[in-house]
Amino acid sequence: MTRKSFTNYLSECVFVSVEIDHVHGDVVSFVVRLMYRCDPHVVCMARYDTAHGCPHRDVLNASGRLIEKNWLLGLSFSEALNYAIHDFKKNHESYLSEFKKRKAKRS
């Protein structure tokens, strides 16, 4: 098994962290995290992964607790990986806005 990791910065404080495990070119697992850097902390706002044997998205609160899970039924791991990266690139501003709203309600 081979692991590939990379990071894409989407703004000054938001980035996507990607880890992909593959065997002979086939994706066998992945995690794609949408991260928010609010110095001195870095927190995960949402992630897509293949835990439980099925790709899904987890939306998290400021404490890192799960508040929503959305299954990506019918997608292969490779399709779900591409979907996840595209979703976070396209919608990172709305994820950040919602995350800040949840954080403000908690305060």
Side-chain angles (χ1 to χ4, degrees):
M1 183 168 11
T2 304
R3 174 165 285 179
K4 179 179 177 182
S5 302
F6 59 92
T7 301
N8 285 332
Y9 281 84
L10 305 176
S11 72
E12 185 176 320
C13 60
V14 177
F15 62 96
V16 175
S17 172
V18 180
E19 295 176 16
I20 308 163
D21 292 326
H22 54 89
V23 174
H24 304 295
D26 294 327
V27 176
V28 295
S29 68
F30 69 82
V31 60
V32 180
R33 295 179 185 93
L34 183 62
M35 307 297 291
Y36 174 50
R37 186 182 68 230
C38 47
D39 290 332
H41 305 287
V42 177
V43 295
C44 182
M45 297 184 285
R47 72 175 168 257
Y48 284 90
D49 63 52
T50 54
H52 318 295
C54 183
H56 61 278
R57 181 186 66 187
D58 294 327
V59 177
L60 310 171
N61 68 14
S63 300
R65 296 187 66 156
L66 177 68
I67 60 171
E68 182 180 336
K69 184 180 292 285
N70 304 102
W71 299 97
L72 300 177
L73 302 174
L75 294 182
S76 70
F77 283 5
S78 181
E79 292 168 330
L81 170 64
N82 290 326
Y83 179 87
I85 294 169
H86 177 76
D87 178 42
F88 284 163
K89 284 182 177 180
K90 182 179 176 185
N91 300 307
H92 68 277
E93 291 174 346
S94 62
Y95 279 103
L96 179 59
S97 176
E98 291 300 315
F99 181 81
K100 287 180 176 180
K101 286 179 191 176
R102 289 190 302 273
K103 187 175 179 181
K105 285 181 183 178
R106 197 182 105 199
S107 300

